[in-house]
Amino acid sequence: MSVIFTRIALILGILLQTQSYASEPLDQEIVNIDHETYIEEPDGSYIIPPLETAKNPMEKALIIIPGGLVPNHHYLALAKEIQKNIGFKLWVGILSCKRTANLCSPIGPNAINTKTYILTIQEKISERAQTLISSRDLFIAGHSLGGQSAFLAANEMEDVGGVILWAS
């Protein structure tokens, strides 16, 4: 297991102990995060460029798959905290499942093709980064039902940097 994966997982674990995720906003910080620090794509997904203050020039990407019925904007503050604590340039993509009633489910009548969606976000991040973010530099995190989607997608993908599941 790589040092980078361990570092991302450890920071995520620490931060999750201090934040809660629900289908309704818990506080204004989650909803009113600085709008200049992220890009909302037409499909409702978010791409958060790395912090300019990152000391290590290495670039990686983390894609977060939301839990069932949890709107993806609830993960913006978490994504920014991970970036602040990681020490290198980390792009973050947060999938949107608005078109499937906020369910990023890999099964059922509203199933999404998570692998295709992840690859699309990875491509958008690479375009914005103006460099290829390879699968080895890609980490997938899934919360609750999103964790099941992350696990299944990672099994279909080649050479993913790591998978982080929480409350899954």
Side-chain angles (χ1 to χ4, degrees):
M1 187 178 302
S2 76
V3 172
I4 294 167
F5 175 75
T6 304
R7 191 173 204 181
I8 291 173
L10 181 62
I11 290 169
L12 183 62
I14 291 168
L15 293 172
L16 287 173
Q17 290 179 5
T18 63
Q19 294 193 19
S20 190
Y21 295 87
S23 57
E24 295 300 320
L26 298 176
D27 61 40
Q28 288 305 105
E29 178 190 6
I30 294 172
V31 178
N32 293 331
I33 190 167
D34 181 5
H35 293 288
E36 294 182 15
T37 61
Y38 66 84
I39 301 145
E40 185 169 1
E41 293 290 323
D43 66 1
S45 61
Y46 294 106
I47 294 177
I48 306 165
L51 299 177
E52 296 294 325
T53 57
K55 293 180 177 134
N56 188 327
M58 169 176 54
E59 290 191 72
K60 305 286 182 183
L62 171 68
I63 296 181
I64 299 173
I65 305 173
L69 302 179
V70 182
N72 65 341
H73 68 265
H74 286 230
Y75 299 88
L76 287 169
L78 173 68
K80 294 305 290 181
E81 285 301 314
I82 292 170
Q83 287 179 319
K84 285 180 193 174
N85 290 284
I86 203 67
F88 56 84
K89 292 184 176 185
L90 181 69
W91 288 83
V92 180
I94 306 173
L95 299 188
S96 170
C97 295
K98 288 179 184 175
R99 60 185 160 79
T100 56
N102 282 331
L103 288 172
C104 288
S105 177
I107 57 173
N110 291 326
I112 63 168
N113 185 331
T114 311
K115 175 187 171 186
T116 301
Y117 204 179
I118 289 169
L119 293 173
T120 300
I121 297 296
Q122 178 185 7
E123 184 178 307
K124 288 178 181 182
I125 289 172
S126 290
E127 286 173 13
R128 294 193 183 278
Q130 297 179 341
T131 187
L132 176 66
I133 302 291
S134 71
S135 292
R136 292 189 66 123
D137 294 329
L138 177 68
F139 299 86
I140 304 169
H143 169 232
S144 190
L145 181 60
Q148 293 178 6
S149 294
F151 177 77
L152 293 172
N155 280 332
E156 293 178 17
M157 298 173 72
E158 292 183 27
D159 218 13
V160 172
V163 178
I164 303 165
L165 309 176
W166 80 92
S168 297

